[in-house]
Amino acid sequence: MSIVTTHAALVAATRIKGPHIDWLALSPFVVLSVGALIVLLIGLLSSSTARRRVVPTLTLVTLGLAIGFEIARFRHSNLILSGALQIDDVALVLDLIFSVAAIAAVLLSWRGRAAEEAGHGEYHALLLFSVLGMTVLVSSTNIVTLFLGFELLSIPLYVLCASEARREVSLESGLKYLVIGSVGSATLAYGLALVYGATGSTDFSVIAAAVSKGGLFGGVLSDPMLLTGIALVMVGFAFKASVAPFHQWTPDVYEGAPTPITAFMATATKAAAIGVFLRFFDVAAIGAQNKWGPWLAALAAFTIIVGNVGALGQSSLKRMLAYSGIAQAGYMLSGVVVGTRLGIQATVFYLAAYLLINLAAFAVVVARERESPEGDDISGLAGLGATNPGLAWPLTIAMLALAGIPGTVGFIGKFYLIRALVAGDYTWLGIAIVIGSMISLGYYLRVVATIWMRRAPDVPADRAPGQVRTPTGPLPVIAGGSPEADAGLEASGRLGAGELEPGQIAQPEVAVVAIVCAGATIFFGIIPTPLFHLVTHAGQAFAGLF
Amino acid sequence: MSLSILIWLPLVVGLVGLALPRARVGRWSALGSLVTLGIAISFLARFKTGHAGLQFTTDKVWISELGIHYKLGLDGLNVLLVVLTALLFSVSIGWSSQREWDRPQLFYFHLGLAESAVLGAFCAQDLALFVALFDLMLIPFYFLTGMWGSGDRVRATTKLVIYTLVGSFLMLVAAIATGVLASSEHGTSLTFVLSQLRALPLSHTSQEWIFLCFAAAFLVKMPLVPFHGWLPDAYKSMPPPVVAVFSGVLSKVAAYGFLRVVLPLFPFASVHYQTLMLLTALVSIIYATSLAFTTNDARLVVAYSSVAQLGFIVLGIFSLRPTGSQGALLQMVNHGLVTAPLFFIVAALAARAGGSEDLRAMGGIAVRAPALAALFLIVGLATLAIPGSSNFIGEFLILLGVFQSKLAVSVIAFLGVVGAAYYALRLYIRSMHNRVSPSVDSREISWREAIGVVPLVIVILVLALYPRFGLVRSERTVQETVAPAQLLAGSRPAAQALRDAGLSGFLVAGSIRSGATTGAGGTP
């Protein structure tokens, strides 16, 4: 008996019982991480087809799989990883938004210079890691996970902003984002630490219990450490969401970054930041709503004014969209302020609407930048209605939708937000939103007027509309670059002005993004019920909210 | 046949027209607009007079989470306005189809979208739907003015849109607040259907600020002084067919909005602000009339006369009496019928005066254009409300209504009647009579120009001979609409009308100012 049974007993004793891993619930995270690693590795191959075609395609496949798993996980609310992440419907809806934004970013950068210069594998892997960080962020139930997600989403974006390394503004944008983003993260970390100190736990539910308990002598609500912590956390999130007065970085960074990355940041990062506002303030700190509510409402109103007024004087379409994004962040923050389930649903609805509208607008900007030397200059759009209706219509629809004209999903979004605000006794904030919309008409209509009501300047005869144009001639030398690499790029014909067959669309994938998103804007403006189904899921995830 | 077909047909025609070649699209749009007119007339023919409620209703849930229904219906308030809209758009599109336009597919598409939005706004029986279409109907005009207008058209159209949408966005908040507050104060689910909101009255303070927001939107749209700053530039920049429908129809949606939404839903506020609204209307009448007879631009004479006429309409509505509101409704139709041909006539005058619309460049155009002179005279006399025209009946009823409620206001408003005679005759005489001006090259009116004038003149003459046609369908509905506010104002509506409206609760609750009601006592 002795050797065999002892051996068996030893084996039985040493077989470690691992924790139960809910692979299905974890699937979106797994898909994104594995996809990112595979894309990174494939990008190392020397074959040009592998880099230019296979890598983006694999990225799209990864994102498609992630979307599939996210949809499959609806209505299966789950705490996973020992309570570190909460996969509930609001997180899944936001994950869908991130994935769609990333798909659009990949499509828009298919023919762009950014991926070429940064290396296709690195570029797409960083994009996927950023999406992964966003999904972790909005699923967080824990201070540590929150910070982890926050950093994981930000750091790849710092690099991606600077990826068009030959353009000085791109490098400047990346550096600016790095510095300001780090300040924001540091503030956030400090605030989270203070909250931990005041409540004694990193878990949101424990924090929520501690905050709502109150107690004798004012309890934890009058604790200056907790209040300072909440204020610093608010500042940290505000940096990321470009809420005034922490918005100063947004116009410069958005203008300098490669436009597909700007599109991604404008939609997905904003959604992630608003999502984490929802998570933290409407779950963890909900008990203290009467303390932070008025402050956040004041911030929201200030943001609306600053964003709209700032956009009025812009001559660059990207900067104008940056300021308009700041104002829209103000609108979305109003939904968070109310602290009711209706407010959350309205915010998530508006995020989805904002995604569609902005993607249409940025797709047109990408197309314009490749077509003409004026790039994103608004006055360069003159006469676009006559010369290129395929770009003019999506941009017009996007501008009118952002202004909140009926018939577009932007109107329904504003209607929903104002309704949530009136029902939550914040009618004055609803009026602030409407005043912001009135001001915003000034710049949205300017773009529409330029497209349709101004004559195009004489177009040089050697360039037909719709033809892709990239700069010819020697490019500035970049540090660490090699002349052989430059020669290779030129030889492959990527740096010459493209020749088109008549009737051929220059950039079908960009046109597809523009037209699909513009069509969805009108479609959901008339039949918004599918979007409403989606956000009702999100609202139900917040149990215990009024 | 459902009302939806009437409303969306022009948009469909416009969308199909986008794909047609430029030579065909004008005729296609004109044909489509005639079909729409035919459908509208068929609804008018089938309309049952003497029936107070909604007819031809469509009621579907559009957005259930927001309580918005896609509800349409015709009743005495909007049936004639719907036919007027279809008629004016047909005439304008017919006039346009005789001319060459740049990018014609887009031009007719925007006209089609505009017609659909206006018809929808008139037929909407859901507050959110009404507000959405009210905001939407402005956008095609932004493009129509900015792309095909003249002069400093981009600035003019931007000013127009921003001015109007400032008011309209305030109205949006007020409308949402109406639905939310009504449901929260009465414990019902959120709804925006007008008939349901009428049974859920709001508190007095809510009614007051909501009324002001709605009034802001409607007063800017019409426009009334002091919100008329966008008017001169915008009206001067628009091409003739666009300004004809804009003046003829869009301003009426705002006035109709007072009757459809404000008076039934916010009766307390209507009474509270009655004097303010009457004074605003009065100031508009006097000021606009004086502007009309001092300006030298023919188009602006018509534009300012429009403001004055709308002042009369608002005067009639805020007399808070069925007589005044009946007169207002009739005047809405009359004014639409009169202002559109006037703008086409001004365009014809300008064509004969070397392209200028300045009165000083005109004179003696009647010499070789007797038919034009006759048509212009008929329309001009109708504008000044000569006794015998339907406009006279309308103004008489309005002034009678105001006379009964606020005597002093009606006395001063009579000045507007006199002023109207002055500016209308001045316009006619300065352009058609007197010495032939050197820049004038007069010729008879051609069919291309007459198409914008003759159909409307025929309808003006028919209404002049039989004005009851414009009054009989709206009688019951107007009484029911005005009853709650009338009761609060202290005059005594027939108790029967109130009970018919299902508002007999007012008979009990409304004895605030009037003391005794007419025998209904305390029975609900």
Side-chain angles (χ1 to χ4, degrees):
Chain A
M1 106 171 185
S2 46
I3 305 278
V4 176
T5 45
T6 324
H7 182 250
L10 270 174
V11 167
T14 51
R15 179 178 299 143
I16 304 169
K17 210 151 184 327
H20 168 69
I21 299 182
D22 188 348
W23 287 108
L24 212 47
L26 210 45
S27 51
F29 302 97
V30 170
V31 165
L32 285 170
S33 348
V34 169
L37 290 172
I38 293 181
V39 157
L40 187 60
L41 291 173
I42 303 254
L44 290 173
L45 295 175
S46 60
S47 146
S48 142
T49 327
R51 282 184 286 119
R52 281 198 202 98
R53 299 273 172 264
V54 176
V55 163
T57 317
L58 271 181
T59 319
L60 289 175
V61 167
T62 311
L63 289 164
L65 275 177
I67 290 182
F69 278 114
E70 282 152 15
I71 297 180
R73 294 308 301 163
F74 264 123
R75 286 196 233 106
H76 291 93
S77 201
N78 249 327
L79 266 180
I80 54 171
L81 296 183
S82 321
L85 289 178
Q86 162 108 348
I87 316 291
D88 57 11
D89 286 346
V90 69
L92 289 170
V93 171
L94 289 170
D95 291 348
L96 282 178
I97 294 180
F98 306 144
S99 311
V100 171
I103 289 180
V106 171
L107 285 175
L108 292 177
S109 42
W110 197 277
R111 257 173 255 257
R113 295 225 332 261
E116 192 70 47
E117 291 186 20
H120 288 274
E122 287 89 344
Y123 183 90
H124 290 94
L126 284 171
L127 201 58
L128 285 172
F129 278 125
S130 186
V131 176
L132 178 65
M134 292 176 189
T135 55
V136 168
L137 181 65
V138 296
S139 296
S140 57
T141 53
N142 191 299
I143 284 179
V144 177
T145 336
L146 188 151
F147 194 72
L148 199 74
F150 202 84
E151 290 299 284
L152 187 54
L153 103 82
S154 312
I155 295 175
L157 282 177
Y158 302 154
V159 179
L160 285 172
C161 282
S163 53
E164 257 181 38
R166 286 169 204 262
R167 275 193 326 142
E168 208 175 86
V169 282
S170 179
L171 292 174
E172 176 193 336
S173 133
L175 191 62
K176 237 179 220 176
Y177 197 17
L178 170 63
V179 171
I180 306 280
S182 306
V183 169
S185 299
T187 318
L188 179 65
Y190 197 19
L192 290 173
L194 287 177
V195 170
Y196 170 65
T199 53
S201 166
T202 58
D203 193 82
F204 282 177
S205 44
V206 178
I207 296 176
V211 164
S212 45
K213 216 167 24 169
L216 284 173
F217 309 117
V220 81
L221 270 183
S222 61
D223 186 355
M225 185 153 65
L226 177 71
L227 293 175
T228 318
I230 292 182
L232 288 175
V233 167
M234 204 188 283
V235 168
F237 291 156
F239 268 109
K240 192 52 80 186
S242 23
V243 166
F246 313 105
H247 67 286
Q248 312 276 7
W249 59 273
T250 312
D252 295 329
V253 171
Y254 279 26
E255 190 188 15
T259 315
I261 298 299
T262 311
F264 182 67
M265 284 197 291
T267 49
T269 314
K270 197 146 291 169
I274 301 285
V276 79
F277 260 114
L278 279 177
R279 271 283 180 228
F280 189 81
F281 285 95
D282 288 343
V283 173
I286 188 67
Q289 204 225 345
N290 56 335
K291 295 271 187 203
W292 55 258
W295 287 105
L296 210 53
L299 267 188
F302 185 51
T303 310
I304 293 173
I305 303 296
V306 162
N308 280 312
V309 171
L312 283 175
Q314 298 302 325
S315 61
S316 149
L317 196 49
K318 273 165 85 171
R319 280 185 85 89
M320 190 208 89
L321 285 171
Y323 274 106
S324 114
I326 294 172
Q328 309 275 341
Y331 303 150
M332 294 185 246
L333 207 56
S334 319
V336 176
V337 166
V338 192
T340 61
R341 196 175 293 179
L342 204 53
I344 294 174
Q345 287 174 323
T347 310
V348 177
F349 186 96
Y350 202 82
L351 275 171
Y354 176 72
L355 168 80
L356 292 169
I357 304 169
N358 266 50
L359 284 180
F362 276 109
V364 175
V365 176
V366 167
R368 288 285 305 163
E369 275 185 337
R370 293 186 194 158
E371 270 179 15
S372 79
E374 291 94 36
D376 68 344
D377 193 19
I378 292 181
S379 49
L381 290 169
L384 194 66
T387 50
N388 200 342
L391 290 181
W393 277 105
L395 190 56
T396 311
I397 291 173
M399 294 289 108
L400 292 178
L402 285 171
I405 300 295
T408 61
V409 73
F411 173 74
I412 313 257
K414 288 221 168 81
F415 195 100
Y416 205 0
L417 267 178
I418 298 176
R419 180 242 172 142
L421 286 169
V422 175
D425 286 324
Y426 269 100
T427 314
W428 67 269
L429 206 46
I431 297 187
I433 290 185
V434 151
I435 292 178
S437 301
M438 293 174 201
I439 303 176
S440 73
L441 283 172
Y443 53 88
Y444 291 133
L445 287 182
R446 189 157 53 96
V447 176
V448 176
T450 313
I451 293 175
W452 295 100
M453 301 172 196
R454 301 216 185 278
R455 288 260 151 254
D458 291 319
V459 180
D462 61 346
R463 199 155 40 82
Q467 199 177 36
V468 177
R469 179 187 166 280
T470 42
T472 53
L475 290 170
V477 175
I478 49 173
S482 67
E484 290 83 16
D486 283 355
L489 282 171
E490 280 179 35
S492 67
R494 295 288 293 169
L495 293 181
E499 291 298 327
L500 286 178
E501 305 297 316
Q504 189 187 18
I505 306 177
Q507 318 164 69
E509 71 277 355
V510 176
V512 161
V513 172
I515 293 175
V516 166
C517 289
T521 307
I522 300 280
F523 177 77
F524 288 124
I526 302 174
I527 310 176
T529 321
L531 274 185
F532 273 104
H533 281 325
L534 208 61
V535 303
T536 320
H537 282 306
Q540 283 162 0
F542 282 79
L545 259 190
F546 176 57
Chain B
M1 186 185 288
S2 145
L3 269 179
S4 299
I5 298 181
L6 172 67
I7 293 175
W8 301 114
L9 182 62
L11 178 59
V12 169
V13 168
L15 281 170
V16 172
L18 281 175
L20 292 177
R22 54 185 307 143
R24 297 271 177 81
V25 65
R27 279 181 231 287
W28 165 252
S29 297
L31 178 65
S33 67
L34 282 176
V35 173
T36 312
L37 179 60
I39 299 177
I41 294 178
S42 83
F43 275 109
L44 181 65
R46 290 185 288 148
F47 187 85
K48 293 193 206 57
T49 321
H51 189 80
L54 287 175
Q55 304 178 30
F56 314 114
T57 45
T58 310
D59 190 356
K60 292 199 179 58
V61 175
W62 178 25
I63 306 177
S64 59
E65 292 82 358
L66 294 174
I68 304 179
H69 285 232
Y70 175 71
K71 186 168 182 197
L72 308 168
L74 286 181
D75 65 3
L77 287 182
N78 57 7
V79 63
L80 279 182
L81 291 170
V82 164
V83 177
L84 175 72
T85 309
L87 179 62
L88 284 184
F89 269 96
S90 314
V91 161
S92 296
I93 295 180
W95 192 94
S96 313
S97 65
Q98 302 298 316
R99 276 156 189 77
E100 286 295 316
W101 300 93
D102 200 25
R103 291 181 282 185
Q105 297 94 338
L106 272 179
F107 181 78
Y108 292 107
F109 166 73
H110 283 300
L111 277 177
L113 176 60
E115 189 176 358
S116 285
V118 175
L119 286 172
F122 276 130
C123 296
Q125 302 299 328
D126 177 293
L127 184 58
L129 185 64
F130 174 79
V131 170
L133 289 166
F134 189 91
D135 288 347
L136 180 61
M137 71 186 182
L138 192 60
I139 299 301
F141 284 97
Y142 173 69
F143 288 103
L144 284 167
T145 315
M147 289 166 77
W148 291 278
S150 56
D152 195 0
R153 59 186 198 265
V154 180
R155 246 188 87 243
T157 194
T158 309
K159 197 158 63 160
L160 159 70
V161 169
I162 294 187
Y163 235 114
T164 312
L165 282 182
V166 166
S168 302
F169 281 156
L170 282 175
M171 178 173 71
L172 177 66
V173 180
I176 297 174
T178 308
V180 173
L181 292 174
S183 78
S184 64
E185 278 175 25
H186 294 267
T188 54
S189 59
L190 182 64
T191 177
F192 285 98
V193 178
L194 284 170
S195 53
Q196 292 173 1
L197 283 176
R198 282 171 80 152
L200 304 170
L202 296 177
S203 73
H204 290 180
T205 25
S206 308
Q207 277 194 29
E208 283 175 18
W209 74 264
I210 291 178
F211 176 93
L212 286 175
C213 291
F214 272 95
F218 294 145
L219 290 178
V220 172
K221 187 67 167 192
M222 285 192 240
L224 287 191
V225 174
F227 304 109
H228 68 293
W230 58 266
L231 179 89
D233 292 331
Y235 271 50
K236 277 180 69 74
S237 306
M238 291 184 191
V242 175
V243 71
V245 289
F246 192 91
S247 174
V249 171
L250 253 71
S251 40
K252 310 304 173 300
V253 182
Y256 161 82
F258 272 122
L259 280 174
R260 173 65 74 193
V261 175
V262 175
L263 254 58
L265 292 185
F266 317 119
F268 173 80
S270 305
V271 172
H272 188 82
Y273 288 114
Q274 181 188 22
T275 321
L276 176 66
M277 297 300 291
L278 285 175
L279 284 178
T280 310
L282 192 62
V283 166
S284 298
I285 295 173
I286 306 296
Y287 188 66
T289 309
S290 54
L291 280 176
F293 63 66
T294 48
T295 183
N296 278 318
D297 186 321
R299 206 187 260 212
L300 284 184
V301 173
V302 185
Y304 289 127
S305 98
S306 214
V307 177
Q309 300 276 351
L310 278 154
F312 270 105
I313 293 174
V314 172
L315 210 62
I317 295 174
F318 278 93
S319 66
L320 296 182
R321 285 176 177 277
T323 328
S325 297
Q326 273 279 68
L329 263 181
L330 181 60
Q331 273 302 76
M332 285 189 221
V333 176
N334 288 334
H335 177 253
L337 287 174
V338 155
T339 194
L342 270 179
F343 281 112
F344 288 123
I345 288 172
V346 166
L349 294 178
R352 287 157 182 68
S356 159
E357 285 177 350
D358 196 319
L359 277 177
R360 293 167 292 195
M362 300 181 194
I365 295 182
V367 170
R368 271 198 289 269
L372 175 61
L375 290 171
F376 192 2
L377 190 62
I378 296 174
V379 178
L381 291 179
T383 311
L384 65 88
I386 198 170
S389 69
S390 174
N391 295 55
F392 173 72
I393 309 284
E395 270 186 18
F396 186 85
L397 287 173
I398 289 173
L399 288 169
L400 181 61
V402 183
F403 196 86
Q404 287 169 342
S405 48
K406 295 269 188 263
L407 182 65
V409 172
S410 74
V411 169
I412 303 177
F414 275 107
L415 288 177
V417 182
V418 176
Y422 184 22
Y423 65 65
L425 290 174
R426 173 177 177 264
L427 175 68
Y428 186 82
I429 294 171
R430 286 271 179 97
S431 57
M432 303 297 276
H433 290 175
N434 294 345
R435 212 166 305 178
V436 178
S437 166
S439 46
V440 163
D441 173 25
S442 186
R443 55 185 185 280
E444 183 56 279
I445 192 169
S446 66
W447 275 113
R448 286 174 62 219
E449 294 163 327
I451 196 173
V453 180
V454 168
L456 298 174
V457 168
I458 295 175
V459 181
I460 292 175
L461 289 173
V462 166
L463 267 184
L465 294 170
Y466 187 48
R468 199 155 176 273
F469 182 83
L471 287 170
V472 67
R473 283 167 192 77
S474 43
E475 208 171 325
R476 295 288 316 272
T477 323
V478 166
Q479 275 174 349
E480 179 189 300
T481 305
V482 177
Q486 190 182 8
L487 188 56
L488 285 175
S491 42
R492 297 187 193 114
Q496 182 59 39
L498 275 182
R499 271 194 224 97
D500 289 338
L503 295 165
S504 31
F506 277 104
L507 285 168
V508 178
S511 335
I512 313 160
R513 306 254 300 264
S514 57
T517 55
T518 49
T523 40

